[in-house]
Amino acid sequence: MVAADWPGVDPAWSREISVASTSAADEPGTVRSWHLLDNGAQLSRRGLTPAGTLLCVHGNPTWSYLWRTLLAAGSDPAQPWRVVAVDQLDMGFSERTGTFRRLADRINDLGDLTAALGLEGPVVTVGHDWGGVISLGWALSHPLQLAGVVLTNTAVHQPAGSPIPPALRLALHPAVHRWGTTTSDAFLRVTHSLARPPLAADVRTAYMSPYRGAGRREGVGNFVADIPAEASHPSFPALSRVADGLHGLSVPALMLWGPRDPIFSDRYLKDLLDRLPAAQVHRFEGAGHLVAEDRDIAAPVFAWLAEHRLHSGPADVEAVSPGVPPADVPMTAPGVQAPPLWAPLTELAAGPDGGDTAVAEMGTDGSVARSLNWRELEHSIAALAAGLQDTGVRPGSRVSLMVPPGVDLTVVLYACLRLGAVVVVADAGLGTRGLSRAVKGATPDFLIGIDKALAAASVLGWPGRRISVQDLPAARRRLLAVETSLAALARRGQLRERTAAPPHAPHAPAPDAPAAVLFTSGSTGPAKGVLYTHAQLAAMRDTLAATLGILPGARLVAGFAPFALLGPALGAVSVTPAMDVTAPRTLTATALADAAAAIDATVVFASPAALRNVLATQGSLSRAGHEALGSVELVLSAGAPVPASLLAEVQRLLPRASLHTPYGMTEALPVTDISLEQIRAAGADAAAGTMPGAGNGVCVGRPVHRARVAIIPLADDGTAPGNDPVTEPGVTGEILVSAPHVKETYDRLWLTQRESVRSAGWHRTGDVGHVDADGRLWVEGRLAHVVTAPGTVVTPVGAEQAIERLDDVGLAAVVGVGPAGTQAVVAVVEAVPPVRRAGPAAPELAARVRDAAAEAGVSVSAVLSVPSQPTDIRHNAKIDRTRLSRWASAVLAGGRPGTP
């Protein structure tokens, strides 16, 4: 097989070079023949001067073919880079040396090659698998040439106390090793099978081509045998030198990772980040070990190169890409520093109201199951913080909290924040798969959970030292690998406080220090981790207080987990009603009334799904329950669009309350706010047609305190490609927000973060909408759900609202079916009463749906009905339109309807 037969490779890149070896594995004077893929000569012939060199090193059992997309991208005249992709000795099409080459030899070999090439800086190393270690070894040995490092699924250290991956243990077993790696091609085939999606047949053939026959696979077997699984292994010192040397590496680093890797899992990424904390990271959810095959890595690598001015040697590197701000660009200029999140709590504990209830949780019998006053809460937080500090929680430690809202979660959350630890909040509303993906991606150092969460951690292999909430029996503790409990740590902290001052009382974290990783709902793709600093959490608190008037002394029923945690930060008494917080529909009218009565509540926060169930169960309310709800002054509902009709029903149940529906997202909560009265006024403006921009969507009100919104106009293809925000009324496009409480960054999602701040100083929300002449924002859907019909672009929410006004329709979703630009507009509706089977809607219903959509200016091609819409777990309200679109495509193509 020759270079012309390798898909994606320009034959001009293939070359051989003779290199004098200085390796201890060779006799003096030995010359070795190397095969490379190198676009340098091609660039020279074209008269292009490369910005630098990418030195790409494959692992086992691949070869330089792995880097063909980088070679193609580096040959682009718009951004020329020389790309030298090596075939290591005994691998690929390089010489079979007949020697056993260890890690130190391979690092030395690479240095011999670059010397023979006369390679000068700036050089950016790129490595995968064991090629990552070898490329880093070269990088540490060539600091004057080095300008940056790129790593994909590799490792430099085996975490203490953890065995090497099972697949490698099997490959190393004496009964398997030679047959699996050398005699047969099993090791190659298993590695190639890790690609997601599977490799094309011709690509797989290309990967196999250098390894036809056992004699060509000696290097594959030797590579496996050279894995330093134990400290006594001959290559362990070389690996340790590389691992230790990374702490002093000062050049930019980029890590592109496939999490579904049975070899180099996220724990190895965590270790690399501990050594290179300034590295930019992107985890490609769904990708695996062969991430360079699973995803396009060339685009992010060259985007990263374009954002940095590269110098030969360990010089400073600055972002210089015009129009693309660094990932940490602030949303607003810094202002007066707000007090930390817990400041109101501390003040109340020290004041005359310190004996008043601060936090409570309700039992299923309608009584208060547990509560703490402000002084008790402050003392509990301080004691637990001391205990956590004793057990090893430090500033920057990641602590996953899997504790239901209530007293325990409040105490541990604020204890962690005071220590400067980063709390990781991924709730059960993500579902088992989503939750597992989130926890593994966040790689917490500690996992604190209830028994059910700890059992899941054991079964699903979640990382982190485990801490239970309550004391567990010894046998159960051993089974779940639990080290201690919050109860024990609190006792330890109390004892320390009584006997002596803490040896290292925690300092207040810096305002720009990371504080929390919160996860999105996952309703529009895999849940994303969103990193907030302490300053941003404090700004969120202050925004809520200023916008909604929630001041110290307010009494809050928190039927929505985030507000259960923010209550103490607002100085508000907070109570958690008896409900399953992962299923908002479990909140009943009686449970809400019991919670309100327990604290004489003035504020209620509940999701739209929770409010619907409250209304559905109001018939069971007692007179006392009605009285308790009648005293509520403010009701907040968010998480999904809230119809005015639902709010009107809630108003009748809570007649004194002012009803508000803040609009926001995990990345910025809240963005705007609107009351029921303002919703009605907006509706009247839309109906009258006298207010420019009013109508077509859900009016979510005006920006909250210190926030701004703007729009990037939609293009004809349904995208929002521009970078210049506009605020003119009636212009539909992607919604942008700027505010002090906007997230810091997406966690380990560099590409996602880069895209979200593409318009400098703004966060791109992914929502679509417009503003009207009165400064109100109207949301028309998600950018990903825009339908591109022939000659027009359809945003879904306006038509959905019109359809949902029909008496025999519940929730409606408008989706596109077919190729972009020629999509058919399809309406999928919940019929009332529900249909038994999903499929084409009855003709009469279909006609009414089409007429309703036409009034909103949308022509519907087909109408399908379902017993219930597929919604997210967290809110029970966000419809999965992507899933519906796939289902509708299958149904309209003649497939069996099934369940969407």
Side-chain angles (χ1 to χ4, degrees):
M1 194 173 190
V2 296
D5 298 324
W6 304 332
V9 171
D10 186 331
W13 299 337
S14 179
R15 61 174 292 200
E16 293 183 350
I17 182 173
S18 296
V19 178
S21 174
T22 64
S23 170
D26 292 326
E27 295 294 331
T30 300
V31 176
R32 296 298 185 188
S33 176
W34 289 69
H35 175 257
L36 317 173
L37 293 179
D38 180 1
N39 68 346
Q42 187 181 70
L43 293 176
S44 181
R45 286 195 301 271
R46 294 177 181 175
L48 298 173
T49 302
T53 299
L54 296 183
L55 178 61
C56 304
V57 189
H58 67 85
N60 189 30
T62 57
W63 55 287
S64 57
Y65 184 67
L66 180 72
W67 308 115
R68 64 194 181 280
T69 61
L70 295 182
L71 282 141
S75 303
D76 186 344
Q79 193 181 358
W81 274 75
R82 184 182 182 187
V83 181
V84 177
V86 308
D87 283 358
Q88 298 194 57
L89 293 175
D90 298 318
M91 302 293 286
F93 289 97
S94 286
E95 179 182 344
R96 293 328 189 237
T97 68
T99 63
F100 192 110
R101 310 188 86 79
R102 298 204 176 274
L103 175 60
D105 298 319
R106 293 194 174 279
I107 294 172
N108 190 82
D109 288 341
L110 190 59
D112 288 342
L113 172 66
T114 57
L117 289 171
L119 207 61
E120 298 179 352
V123 175
V124 174
T125 60
V126 185
H128 172 253
D129 190 86
W130 287 104
V133 184
I134 294 162
S135 70
L136 289 171
W138 184 94
L140 293 171
S141 301
H142 298 77
L144 297 181
Q145 293 157 268
L146 186 69
V149 298
V150 177
L151 298 171
T152 66
N153 288 58
T154 186
V156 296
H157 175 70
Q158 182 63 32
S162 61
I164 65 171
L168 291 183
R169 286 206 304 274
L170 179 63
L172 283 165
H173 194 281
V176 174
H177 174 253
R178 180 153 187 86
W179 175 86
T181 62
T182 307
T183 305
S184 77
D185 59 7
F187 190 75
L188 285 99
R189 293 186 181 278
V190 169
T191 301
H192 300 161
S193 73
L194 299 177
R196 304 172 187 276
L199 297 176
D202 57 352
V203 171
R204 192 166 57 249
T205 299
Y207 271 117
M208 295 291 289
S209 61
Y211 301 110
R212 302 291 186 188
R216 300 284 298 171
R217 294 192 288 266
E218 287 289 344
V220 174
N222 291 347
F223 238 129
V224 173
D226 196 43
I227 295 172
E230 299 174 349
S232 59
H233 191 282
S235 285
F236 188 84
L239 181 65
S240 296
R241 284 194 296 273
V242 172
D244 294 343
L246 293 188
H247 291 291
L249 200 64
S250 60
V251 297
L254 174 67
M255 301 180 193
L256 302 175
W257 211 263
R260 295 181 66 181
D261 186 347
I263 311 300
F264 298 115
S265 62
D266 280 304
R267 67 179 177 179
Y268 296 103
L269 173 61
K270 177 178 175 59
D271 175 74
L272 285 167
L273 283 171
D274 288 342
R275 299 169 193 277
L276 297 171
Q280 291 169 307
V281 180
H282 190 87
R283 297 172 68 257
F284 292 96
E285 284 294 351
H289 180 69
L290 295 175
V291 65
E293 294 292 341
D294 297 351
R295 298 293 186 270
D296 173 15
I297 69 162
V301 166
F302 279 83
W304 177 77
L305 293 171
E307 287 191 8
H308 292 83
R309 179 182 296 120
L310 300 174
H311 303 272
S312 294
D316 293 335
V317 178
E318 302 175 35
V320 296
S321 178
V324 182
D328 58 355
V329 65
M331 292 297 106
T332 59
V336 177
Q337 185 57 54
L341 191 66
W342 55 86
L345 183 162
T346 303
E347 292 172 7
L348 283 165
D353 298 325
D356 294 346
T357 298
V359 59
E361 55 189 67
M362 301 299 295
T364 55
D365 62 354
S367 64
V368 175
R370 191 176 172 199
S371 68
L372 294 175
N373 63 36
W374 292 105
R375 278 193 289 272
E376 291 169 336
L377 178 59
E378 173 71 14
H379 177 73
S380 297
I381 292 169
L384 182 58
L388 288 169
Q389 189 179 39
D390 270 357
T391 207
V393 177
R394 297 288 183 265
S397 296
R398 290 195 167 200
V399 183
S400 178
L401 301 181
M402 295 194 172
V403 184
V407 173
D408 289 324
L409 181 57
T410 302
V411 172
V412 69
L413 173 82
Y414 285 94
C416 288
L417 290 176
R418 288 192 185 185
L419 286 173
V422 181
V423 295
V424 177
V425 183
D427 61 79
L430 297 177
T432 302
R433 286 184 62 188
L435 180 59
S436 188
R437 189 165 48 216
V439 175
K440 288 181 178 179
T443 56
D445 301 286
F446 297 85
L447 190 153
I448 301 175
I450 57 174
D451 194 271
K452 184 177 179 181
L454 296 171
S458 296
V459 172
L460 299 172
W462 294 344
R465 295 167 57 189
R466 296 174 196 163
I467 300 173
S468 62
V469 175
Q470 301 299 331
D471 295 329
L472 297 178
R476 183 69 175 165
R477 193 168 62 245
R478 287 193 298 272
L479 178 66
L480 298 179
V482 169
E483 294 185 17
T484 185
S485 68
L486 293 183
L489 292 175
R491 291 192 296 269
R492 184 189 304 176
Q494 290 168 351
L495 179 64
R496 198 172 78 174
E497 286 184 334
R498 287 196 298 267
T499 57
H504 300 290
H507 297 289
D512 60 353
V517 176
L518 313 178
F519 278 85
T520 62
S521 67
S523 59
T524 55
K528 298 183 287 290
V530 178
L531 181 69
Y532 277 91
T533 65
H534 284 269
Q536 288 155 348
L537 289 181
M540 183 189 301
R541 171 204 62 201
D542 296 344
T543 295
L544 287 167
T547 301
L548 301 170
I550 303 177
L551 303 175
R555 297 179 296 280
L556 168 67
V557 178
F560 190 54
F563 276 76
L565 304 177
L566 279 171
L570 291 162
V573 181
S574 58
V575 60
T576 306
M579 65 178 293
D580 180 355
V581 294
T582 68
R585 290 173 178 161
T586 59
L587 179 62
T588 65
T590 298
L592 179 62
D594 289 341
I599 60 170
D600 296 325
T602 58
V603 182
V604 167
F605 194 108
S607 73
L611 290 180
R612 285 191 178 94
N613 198 54
V614 167
L615 293 171
T617 57
Q618 62 181 309
S620 62
L621 275 175
S622 65
R623 181 176 178 180
H626 277 287
E627 290 176 352
L629 295 180
S631 299
V632 172
E633 299 170 3
L634 176 65
V635 173
L636 306 170
S637 188
V642 188
S645 57
L646 174 63
L647 292 176
E649 291 185 62
V650 173
Q651 185 74 84
R652 287 191 285 273
L653 183 60
L654 292 87
R656 289 186 56 203
S658 175
L659 275 61
H660 285 249
T661 65
Y663 158 75
M665 56 219 64
T666 307
E667 298 90 336
L669 182 68
V671 173
T672 65
D673 177 57
I674 192 169
S675 68
L676 176 57
E677 293 77 17
Q678 291 167 336
I679 290 172
R680 288 169 171 160
D685 288 339
T690 56
M691 175 71 69
N696 189 31
V698 175
C699 184
V700 294
R702 298 179 181 84
V704 297
H705 177 67
R706 297 185 68 190
R708 298 180 296 144
V709 297
I711 303 294
I712 296 292
L714 283 184
D716 292 341
D717 63 355
T719 64
N723 279 322
D724 298 322
V726 301
T727 55
E728 287 85 357
V731 176
T732 293
E734 185 176 6
I735 299 169
L736 276 58
V737 59
S738 176
H741 60 279
V742 170
K743 57 107 171 92
E744 179 72 8
T745 187
Y746 286 110
D747 189 45
R748 300 173 185 176
L749 291 169
W750 173 72
L751 284 172
T752 308
Q753 171 64 12
R754 185 175 183 271
E755 176 62 23
S756 77
V757 296
R758 183 157 53 87
S759 301
W762 296 89
H763 168 69
R764 299 179 70 125
T765 67
D767 286 342
V768 176
H770 65 274
V771 294
D772 65 19
D774 201 31
R776 297 172 298 201
L777 180 65
W778 296 73
V779 177
E780 302 178 46
R782 292 286 295 171
L783 187 62
H785 300 151
V786 169
V787 180
T788 54
T792 187
V793 172
V794 177
T795 55
V797 170
E800 291 169 352
Q801 285 185 306
I803 295 168
E804 288 174 353
R805 285 194 283 269
L806 297 173
D807 292 338
D808 48 356
V809 171
L811 293 176
V814 168
V815 299
V817 171
T822 61
Q823 288 183 315
V825 180
V826 178
V828 183
V829 301
E830 283 181 355
V832 179
V835 294
R836 290 187 177 182
R837 291 191 180 94
E844 299 82 3
L845 175 60
R848 287 193 295 276
V849 168
R850 284 191 177 93
D851 290 343
E855 292 179 6
V858 175
S859 176
V860 170
S861 299
V863 181
L864 304 176
S865 60
V866 293
S868 62
Q869 299 280 18
T871 58
D872 68 302
I873 300 172
R874 179 183 290 177
H875 303 292
N876 297 154
K878 293 183 177 179
I879 299 173
D880 189 341
R881 290 171 177 80
T882 303
R883 179 174 160 187
L884 275 182
S885 179
R886 289 196 301 266
W887 172 79
S889 297
V891 172
L892 295 175
R896 296 183 62 184
T899 302

